[in-house]
Amino acid sequence: MGCCQNRDRCCSIWRIVQSSLGIFIGISTAFVFYHNFGNAQAAGWALTSGVFAAAALHLAILIHKKTIHSWYTVLHLRNIQLLAFLLTDISIAVFAWYLFYAAYYKIPMVPVDNSAIVTSVWVFMTAKWTFLVWLFARLAIREKEEYELTSDSDST
């Protein structure tokens, strides 16, 4: 059974903790890369990663509190899911580009101030967070549909 009797509650708390850490790490890394190393590209992608971690946190909290029905319609959630899917695809393409760019021009990982490999790591983190926004929107759609089924059966 695992360490937790209520699997859904543990998973939703884990999503909240994971997303909160993603926000903190993304924003703090953006600050460090920009101010200490002068790597604006890695800083921009780290900040973007933190923003999508915040979006994932928002959805994770709504799923945990079971209040998704009062915030979004199914159409809104499907649009969020579509946008997250497109951004995941774009992020993966940019990730592959940075790796190709670093390999083709033989750009070393160190020094960090102009490293395409370090930037590719943060592009991948952005892809991860956009994928999780897609996944959380999918979970929210399921919860919203379950809520509508139970509220319809209660009203009849």
Side-chain angles (χ1 to χ4, degrees), residues 20-154:
S20 300
L21 283 172
I23 294 168
F24 174 73
I25 291 170
I27 292 172
S28 61
T29 302
F31 182 80
V32 168
F33 278 145
Y34 188 75
H35 289 290
N36 292 2
F37 297 113
N39 190 339
Q41 290 182 8
W45 282 105
L47 186 62
T48 304
S49 174
V51 168
F52 285 111
L57 176 66
H58 172 68
L59 290 174
I61 289 172
L62 292 179
I63 291 168
H64 176 72
K65 294 173 93 178
K66 299 192 183 302
T67 57
I68 198 78
H69 60 274
S70 62
W71 280 75
Y72 296 109
T73 65
V74 172
L75 179 63
H76 290 141
L77 291 169
R78 290 200 191 280
N79 287 336
I80 290 169
Q81 197 177 20
L82 177 63
L83 180 63
F85 179 78
L86 291 173
L87 291 172
T88 301
D89 288 345
I90 291 168
S91 297
I92 290 171
V94 173
F95 169 70
W97 166 251
Y98 272 111
L99 289 180
F100 168 78
Y101 181 76
Y104 186 78
Y105 290 106
K106 296 177 179 54
I107 299 172
M109 191 163 74
V110 178
V112 176
D113 57 347
N114 61 357
S115 175
I117 296 172
V118 170
T119 305
S120 72
V121 169
W122 284 100
V123 174
F124 180 78
M125 293 301 291
T126 301
K128 178 190 91 165
W129 285 114
T130 54
F131 175 75
L132 287 175
V133 168
W134 174 84
L135 184 66
F136 294 172
R138 184 173 180 226
L139 292 172
I141 289 169
R142 286 184 181 169
E143 182 173 312
K144 175 107 174 123
E145 289 171 346
E146 285 176 14
Y147 174 79
E148 289 173 354
L149 283 175
T150 57
S151 63
D152 287 345
S153 65
D154 290 343

Side-chain angles (χ1 to χ4, degrees), residues 7-19:
R7 185 174 178 271
D8 290 336
R9 183 161 174 80
C10 285
C11 287
S12 66
I13 291 171
W14 172 245
R15 288 183 207 118
I16 291 169
V17 169
Q18 181 183 14
S19 300

